Amino acid sequence: MLTRPIIVLTLFTAMIIGLSFWLVNTYQSRTHQNDYVSWEMTKDGTYAVREGEALDCPEPLILTTPVDITKLAGILYPGQVRGPEFKVHGAFRFKEGFAHDSVVRVPFDAYVKRGHHFISNGEDQYAFEFQSPCGIAYHFGHLRVLSPKFAEIIANLPPPDENSQYASLLKPIKVTIGEVVATEVGYANDLNVFVDWGVRDLRQKNSVTLRSEWSQFSDQLDQYAICWLDYIPPDDSETLRALHSTGDHEWGNKSDFCSYPDNR
């Protein structure tokens, strides 16, 4: 006599449990989707959120150093003249012997927004642009061997040609601190092992003015670029500043972005 009520109760309980799982999964999915924020430049030259809701950046802002600094021979400073141009990005140069062990990792939770596959010096090279929900953007350039996740991203972008440029992803891809971006960087043919790294804070302009010696490059100044040496862990920053600068011998560690006692 009690069989039917028990069956009905069991089915009702299963439905409640199933509904609960569906609600939890739906909430998690929406939370993940709503985490994406798109910062875009407006007509007046400032950046504003075009999609999503901006999150607060951690204070103080600290980026994880994206490479193993014990393998480095030197750095290039962001915010200095190199050759015929003012460069807003810097770079890490690896010691001899690390051509096949030059891992680059994600330094700050973000979304991959654009990728670039190009040929340089006869070798495949890759670059990516990242943007975090709180307005910190960064890019890596001259990556050579990608991790499987990033190789898949490139596989879905246009193939390289002499006019290849950055291409936007159809759907930005989330990455988290510590994920491997690439395992080898730079050029294998001449053992020039380096990776470019540039960081920008889209929340406000940097108020930088170029020194008089570089005034002719004022049109190349990015007013949102910042010095990543000022935002990585202090011990790493001190170690890197003590390394040999691999930039132009005339300017060395001179930078209009980085705080340094003799920068002016």
Side-chain angles (χ1 to χ4, degrees):
M1 298 293 294
L2 296 177
T3 302
R4 180 171 295 180
I6 291 174
I7 293 174
V8 172
L9 180 61
T10 301
L11 290 173
F12 179 75
T13 302
M15 290 173 61
I16 293 297
I17 294 173
L19 179 61
S20 299
F21 275 113
W22 179 81
L23 289 172
V24 169
N25 289 333
T26 301
Y27 171 77
Q28 290 176 338
S29 176
R30 287 177 178 174
T31 300
H32 177 78
Q33 292 173 3
N34 291 339
D35 180 50
Y36 175 67
V37 178
S38 177
W39 294 70
E40 304 292 343
M41 181 172 281
T42 63
K43 292 181 179 180
D44 65 1
T46 61
Y47 280 86
V49 174
R50 289 287 181 86
E51 180 180 348
E53 183 176 347
L55 304 180
D56 291 331
C57 288
E59 293 293 343
L61 177 64
I62 298 292
L63 309 178
T64 301
T65 309
V67 299
D68 182 346
I69 63 175
T70 66
K71 299 176 181 178
L72 298 180
I75 64 172
L76 293 174
Y77 280 71
Q80 67 176 189
V81 171
R82 296 197 291 273
E85 299 179 65
F86 181 82
K87 301 288 189 179
V88 300
H89 63 267
F92 301 104
R93 191 175 301 280
F94 288 79
K95 299 174 183 176
E96 291 185 15
F98 291 105
H100 303 293
D101 185 14
S102 46
V103 175
V104 177
R105 297 181 181 273
V106 171
F108 197 72
D109 290 356
Y111 283 83
V112 186
K113 292 199 69 174
R114 301 204 301 166
H116 187 196
H117 181 187
F118 58 103
I119 305 297
S120 178
N121 291 348
E123 298 189 49
D124 288 285
Q125 299 280 286
Y126 308 98
F128 293 97
E129 291 183 352
F130 305 74
Q131 197 179 95
S132 78
C134 78
I136 301 302
Y138 54 92
H139 78 271
F140 291 114
H142 290 288
L143 307 168
R144 190 167 58 82
V145 177
L146 302 176
S147 69
K149 180 173 183 175
F150 282 83
E152 184 177 353
I153 294 174
I154 286 294
N156 290 304
L157 297 181
D161 58 37
E162 63 274 11
N163 299 314
S164 62
Q165 298 178 345
Y166 272 98
S168 297
L169 276 61
L170 292 177
K171 181 179 180 181
I173 296 176
K174 189 172 186 178
V175 293
T176 56
I177 290 177
E179 282 191 59
V180 174
V181 180
T183 56
E184 298 180 28
V185 301
Y187 299 107
N189 292 339
D190 57 6
L191 298 181
N192 187 7
V193 186
F194 73 99
V195 59
D196 289 343
W197 187 32
V199 181
R200 304 166 76 225
D201 185 344
L202 306 182
R203 298 173 298 173
Q204 65 269 319
K205 293 184 177 181
N206 55 27
S207 302
V208 168
T209 56
L210 298 187
R211 66 190 68 204
S212 59
E213 304 98 305
W214 297 347
S215 60
Q216 69 269 35
F217 301 101
S218 58
D219 61 333
Q220 298 175 15
L221 174 63
D222 185 331
Q223 292 191 305
Y224 291 90
I226 60 176
C227 176
W228 41 256
L229 281 164
D230 295 336
Y231 293 92
I232 60 176
D235 288 347
D236 286 359
S237 180
E238 183 178 356
T239 298
L240 292 177
R241 290 173 190 271
L243 289 178
H244 169 65
S245 173
T246 60
D248 187 288
H249 71 279
E250 182 180 359
W251 300 116
N253 58 19
K254 301 292 185 182
S255 166
D256 280 351
F257 290 171
C258 299
S259 57
Y260 204 82
D262 63 348
N263 256 335
R264 291 286 180 178

